[in-house]
Amino acid sequence: MNCEQSLLVQAYLDGELDAVETLKAEQHLESCVECQAMAADHAEMKAAMAGATYYRASAGLRARIGAALDAENRSDVVKEFRPIRRKPGFWLGAGSGAGGMAIAAALAFLLFLPANPLINDLAAAHLRSLMAGHLIDVASSDHHTVKPWFAGHADVSPPAEDFKAEGFTLVGGRVDYVHGERAAVVVYRHGAHIINLFAWADRNTSLPGTRSRDGYRMIFWKQNDLDLAAVSDVDPAELDQFVALVKKSQSRE
Amino acid sequence: MDEKRRRFEALAMPHLDAAYNLARWLTRGGAEADDIVQDAMLRAFRSFDGFRGEAVRPWLLAIVRNCHRSALEQRKRHAATPLGETDDTEIAAEGPTPEASAIQTGDGRRLDNAIAALPEEFREVVILRELEEMSYRDIAVTTGAPIGTVMSRLARGRALLREKLIGRPA
């Protein structure tokens, strides 16, 4: 297509022009053979494209998205546990003998849930990050790239140093929501394991220290006006080593 | 159901088919379209409070496109791709050969293959214009390209598609 006016004519054929430009395009079309041919092609293509497949979301996908949106709402997550508590058989067994300890542990777990939304958020964010395509928004092993990316996307500037020599490779970063705050997440790989390092603004709330949830260990601390949490299923000693490295690098900043 | 969820159901969920259609065409029929759309809807929901734009569809489709991009990046990193292999060679390998097109049964199938064989930058504007019937402005929002670029890619994409379908340069 060599005619200079071809994009104007295409826009006319696509119904994108106002009255003045429409007139201009129509006048041009009267005399330009090349654009007349394009107009014929355009009509032909439009008719043909009606035969292209339009893919629609399956009922299964729709349901999964509905469930994922439900899970986003913390109060809904807590609600799911209520039917268990209401079961009469559960309570009858609870009072008797040896089962008592296990029941107490289960009960503690239930009571624990609503009281620690922060831990729920981190566990959910860590699990989500392990699903395909959720781990990284910016992929880089270069902290010179990761750090400025956070400047444009997160509210805080997290430590983002590569500890490759120590076995913790920086693989990228993303932004996640934790406890209603936008948190910067720095992602590391240690062997086959992923470590998510969450950082959000210190709002003078107390942090839990060290916790475990669903096989993942979480270490919390405060440093340089940030609340930080390292979450992973690596060996506990290795997670401690990783946290020590981050603390050391951050104290240099 | 809280207010945010109700708003999301009313404004964003009606575009779920559009999101899925784009994901299917971007991945050229890949099974990962489901994951991409689920990821995109979740991300859209999380940032829905901050959404102040007037049109939901181009914004939502931009998120689908970004999720597709990051999934692609991730697959590339995990797969041991030889150096120098680009997305274009991938397209050439997966696109139908002229012989293969000729023996396809029915025009729809042949048309689908021709669209799938377009390089991504042209394929996405053709899909957004011809199947979603979006305005140039909305396509620009979704693809992050200036309107002038959208127009030239659309012209080139249509010409390429025509060439693939009738087997000679337009």
Side-chain angles (χ1 to χ4, degrees), chain A residues 95-109:
Chain A
S96 63
M101 288 296 279
I103 297 305
L107 195 63
F109 178 70

Side-chain angles (χ1 to χ4, degrees), chain B residues 10 17 21 32 35 60-61 87-88 91 115 120 126 142 168:
Chain B
D17 280 339
N21 185 50
E32 63 271 30
D35 289 341
L60 189 65
L61 296 187
D87 204 27
D88 281 339
I91 287 160
I115 298 169
E120 187 166 307
V126 166
T142 293
R168 63 171 170 80

Side-chain angles (χ1 to χ4, degrees), chain B residues 103-122:
Chain B
I103 56 165
Q104 292 296 342
T105 53
D107 280 341
R109 184 66 197 278
R110 202 176 142 238
L111 176 65
D112 283 356
N113 285 339
I115 298 169
L118 288 175
E120 187 166 307
E121 65 195 283
F122 302 120

Side-chain angles (χ1 to χ4, degrees), chain A residues 89-101:
Chain A
F90 181 92
W91 288 110
L92 288 174
S96 63
M101 288 296 279

Side-chain angles (χ1 to χ4, degrees), chain A residues 74-93:
Chain A
R74 202 176 305 119
S75 61
D76 287 352
V77 173
V78 174
K79 260 180 237 153
E80 280 171 28
F81 285 85
R82 280 190 192 144
I84 301 172
R85 287 196 235 175
R86 286 204 204 98
K87 251 187 202 166
F90 181 92
W91 288 110
L92 288 174

Side-chain angles (χ1 to χ4, degrees), chain A:
Chain A
M1 191 60 60
N2 300 313
C3 177
E4 282 176 3
Q5 300 294 314
S6 66
L7 289 185
L8 178 78
V9 172
Q10 178 183 245
Y12 163 73
L13 297 169
D14 283 331
E16 290 273 338
L17 299 184
D18 62 22
V20 176
E21 285 181 307
T22 294
L23 199 64
K24 230 193 284 179
E26 283 175 346
Q27 281 169 353
H28 174 77
L29 255 177
E30 277 176 25
S31 59
C32 178
V33 179
E34 197 180 326
C35 285
Q36 285 166 6
M38 183 179 76
D41 288 352
H42 187 278
E44 202 182 358
M45 185 62 72
K46 203 173 177 60
M49 282 299 288
T53 304
Y54 190 100
Y55 298 99
R56 289 176 200 284
S58 67
L61 176 61
R62 206 171 274 273
R64 275 199 302 285
I65 290 169
L69 294 181
D70 288 342
E72 281 289 294
N73 195 325
R74 202 176 305 119
S75 61
D76 287 352
V77 173
V78 174
K79 260 180 237 153
E80 280 171 28
F81 285 85
R82 280 190 192 144
I84 301 172
R85 287 196 235 175
R86 286 204 204 98
K87 251 187 202 166
F90 181 92
W91 288 110
L92 288 174
S96 63
M101 288 296 279
I103 297 305
L107 195 63
F109 178 70
L110 286 175
L111 295 174
F112 182 68
L113 266 175
N116 285 276
L118 176 60
I119 290 174
N120 288 337
D121 281 4
L122 287 173
H126 184 76
L127 279 172
R128 263 200 314 269
S129 80
L130 301 178
M131 292 158 66
H134 296 246
L135 186 59
I136 294 169
D137 289 333
V138 56
S140 175
S141 57
D142 179 0
H143 75 278
H144 295 301
T145 314
V146 176
K147 196 109 173 140
W149 183 85
F150 279 120
H153 293 82
D155 306 325
V156 295
S157 175
E161 207 162 300
D162 191 13
F163 305 113
K164 197 175 192 157
E166 291 86 356
F168 303 97
T169 309
L170 175 66
V171 289
R174 68 172 192 282
V175 172
D176 229 318
Y177 281 82
V178 172
H179 214 182
E181 292 232 30
R182 228 147 62 116
V185 190
V186 192
V187 185
Y188 291 86
R189 191 177 291 280
H190 179 71
H193 304 274
I194 291 293
I195 301 173
N196 278 304
L197 174 63
F198 296 81
W200 62 97
D202 182 1
R203 300 260 188 262
N204 288 321
T205 46
S206 62
L207 296 176
T210 301
R211 287 290 163 83
S212 287
R213 166 64 61 87
D214 305 331
Y216 298 103
R217 197 147 161 271
M218 306 177 187
I219 300 180
F220 296 86
W221 75 99
K222 287 176 186 283
Q223 201 171 4
N224 299 3
D225 299 324
L226 292 177
D227 281 0
L228 295 121
V231 183
S232 184
D233 61 345
V234 291
D235 187 77
E238 288 173 330
L239 192 61
D240 289 340
Q241 188 204 345
F242 171 76
V243 169
L245 284 168
V246 176
K247 282 182 179 170
K248 210 172 116 193
S249 80
Q250 223 192 342
S251 64
R252 287 199 300 265
E253 285 200 0

